[in-house]
Amino acid sequence: EVQLLESGGDLVQPGGSLRLSCAASGFTFSAYAMNWVRQAPGKGLEWVSAISGNGGATYYADSVKGRFTISRDNSRNTLYLQMNSLRAEDTAVYYCSKGNIWFGEYFDYWGQGTLVTVSS
Amino acid sequence: QSALTQPASVSGSPGQSITISCTGTNSDVGAYKYVSWYQHHPGKGPKLMIYEVSNRPSGVSNRFSASKSGNTASLTISGLQAEDEADYYCTSYTSSSTLVFGGGTKLTVL
């Protein structure tokens, strides 16, 4: 059974940093692209970032480019999102999702999400 | 990248059919077969309902179907059931090597 478990969400001040983690199990982690998707309070889903299976290719939404960094540790079956220079508009539930071989195809499994609140 | 356009809400009675549209541009929906649909119940992770325009993953009811014409994709749910009440999102790959979601549609089963 595929499982994705996010952690690391917290309350952080504007301008601060936070690292999210997503522990994966139930599939060959290194074979699949992975994504982060977020949902701000009362808003819709927003794709944030993606990474290829071997970590060699990364992709970002314009809203986070230059501030967020996606990475993965295939030996630990774990996906990360390093978030720097956080803004109030980054407040959201962040979901980890499994892609297919190539990141642009679809997200077939999702975690339950972790809440990031950016506020002073 | 602007969000794809979906109606904010749709509703239907049990047993009826509804259709949710998802309009993009010739740089996303109109250009690629990589359009997918997700069902999202509050407090849970979203669920993949349709991938590559019209394909259903195993385990998804055949009451869910989808298609695409030009820059607009559509999701149809037939034989509406109370459990179908949720938010629905479309998404597409884009020519900028990003992914874009629709704004979401709240489905109410009357």
Side-chain angles (χ1 to χ4, degrees):
Chain A
E1 179 192 6
V2 172
Q3 291 194 331
L4 300 170
L5 184 61
E6 303 95 337
S7 62
D10 204 347
L11 171 64
V12 60
Q13 293 190 336
S17 298
L18 203 60
R19 188 177 83 157
L20 305 183
S21 299
C22 171
S25 61
F27 63 102
T28 305
F29 184 68
S30 60
Y32 295 95
M34 296 293 294
N35 295 265
W36 288 99
V37 176
R38 68 185 180 184
Q39 184 176 33
K43 303 292 186 182
L45 298 174
E46 179 189 14
W47 174 78
V48 173
S49 184
I51 188 168
S52 62
N54 65 6
T58 57
Y59 310 86
Y60 297 94
D62 287 345
S63 57
V64 306
K65 198 175 294 183
R67 301 188 299 122
F68 289 13
T69 301
I70 191 171
S71 63
R72 63 192 298 161
D73 184 340
N74 286 346
S75 68
R76 296 176 182 268
N77 288 354
T78 302
L79 175 72
Y80 302 100
L81 186 67
Q82 177 67 44
M83 303 186 294
N84 298 331
S85 303
L86 281 162
R87 306 166 179 166
E89 55 264 36
D90 295 318
T91 294
V93 174
Y94 285 73
Y95 295 98
C96 161
S97 60
K98 173 184 169 290
N100 200 22
I101 305 300
W102 174 61
F103 89 97
E105 295 181 74
Y106 49 79
F107 318 117
D108 56 356
Y109 291 94
W110 298 66
Q112 294 294 304
T114 187
L115 177 62
V116 173
T117 303
V118 183
S119 174
S120 54
Chain B
Q1 180 69 51
S2 299
L4 306 176
T5 301
Q6 296 182 231
S9 63
V10 297
S11 62
S13 299
Q16 289 186 331
S17 296
I18 63 94
T19 296
I20 299 171
S21 61
C22 168
T23 302
T25 70
N26 55 16
S27 295
D28 40 62
V29 174
Y32 303 99
K33 69 176 183 178
Y34 300 111
V35 177
S36 49
W37 290 89
Y38 301 85
Q39 178 189 67
H40 191 200
H41 288 105
K44 295 183 148 186
K47 177 184 178 182
L48 176 66
M49 305 303 286
I50 296 286
Y51 67 97
E52 291 179 6
V53 176
S54 60
N55 295 297
R56 267 190 320 275
S58 64
V60 172
S61 170
N62 60 9
R63 297 185 298 104
F64 291 83
S65 62
S67 62
K68 187 183 81 164
S69 177
N71 295 338
T72 298
S74 299
L75 173 71
T76 297
I77 309 173
S78 58
L80 269 180
Q81 300 180 0
E83 69 212 45
D84 299 332
E85 187 162 292
D87 296 322
Y88 290 84
Y89 294 88
C90 60
T91 189
S92 174
Y93 178 71
T94 83
S95 60
S96 302
S97 296
T98 62
L99 292 160
V100 62
F101 277 91
T105 298
K106 181 177 181 59
L107 168 62
T108 301
V109 180
L110 301 171

